[in-house]
Amino acid sequence: MQVQDTLQFYGTGFQNKVLAVLMKDRAFLQQVHDIIDPKYFSSDSSQWIAKTVLQYFTQYKSPPTLEVLKVHLESVQPDTLKLLIIEHIKEVLRFTESNDLDFIKDTVKDFCKNQKLKAAILKSVELL
């Protein structure tokens, strides 16, 4: 994927705010769970958090609690990745009360819709 096809284009702080919203906002998570892809995030720890949140939501229809994330973390190898994820979760949780989360939500929805549309167009071109 190219940078403009990922959330890396918007920066690390933006990605952390997206993860914060995914972890705390059930309504938003319901809107984007079919169109957001963990591969849109630039780091392995961000991708793990997004993937875990999306998988949990698919099964239980709510964002996971910190206790759920802790249980899922037990299976992460190597330990260095586990430590990175723990630190990343702590960082993400600092953004749950940011003033610009409505902007973040709108931007992410537009980005994901555009990525899905682009993928559909490219796939249809291949079929032709």
Side-chain angles (χ1 to χ4, degrees):
M1 279 189 175
Q2 297 178 342
V3 171
Q4 65 268 23
D5 293 335
T6 67
L7 293 172
Q8 182 178 355
F9 178 77
Y10 297 100
T12 304
F14 183 92
Q15 291 179 66
N16 287 340
K17 289 178 182 182
V18 173
L19 291 171
V21 174
L22 289 175
M23 291 173 63
K24 295 295 181 183
D25 190 330
R26 184 185 175 282
F28 176 72
L29 187 53
Q30 187 169 3
Q31 290 175 348
V32 299
H33 85 279
D34 285 335
I35 59 174
I36 196 165
D37 188 332
K39 292 178 186 163
Y40 294 158
F41 294 89
S42 58
S43 72
D44 290 340
S45 56
S46 294
Q47 290 179 8
W48 184 91
I49 295 167
K51 179 180 172 188
T52 304
V53 169
L54 292 169
Q55 287 175 340
Y56 186 86
F57 182 81
T58 299
Q59 187 168 0
Y60 299 104
K61 303 299 181 227
S62 68
T65 61
L66 290 177
E67 290 79 17
V68 169
L69 292 175
K70 183 178 178 184
V71 169
H72 283 280
L73 266 169
E74 295 304 319
S75 63
V76 172
Q77 292 296 328
D79 286 340
T80 53
L81 177 59
K82 187 184 296 188
L83 291 173
L84 283 173
I85 294 169
I86 290 168
E87 290 304 313
H88 201 144
I89 290 171
K90 289 178 186 176
E91 178 72 18
V92 165
L93 291 176
R94 292 183 13 205
F95 292 106
T96 57
E97 300 298 323
S98 292
N99 293 330
D100 60 350
L101 294 182
D102 287 335
F103 168 78
I104 300 292
K105 292 178 199 178
D106 290 342
T107 304
V108 168
K109 281 189 277 188
D110 290 343
F111 172 84
C112 292
K113 288 175 188 174
N114 288 335
Q115 291 305 308
K116 292 299 180 184
L117 183 60
K118 185 189 298 185
I121 290 170
L122 291 174
K123 186 173 183 174
S124 67
V125 168
E126 289 175 13
L127 295 174
L128 293 175

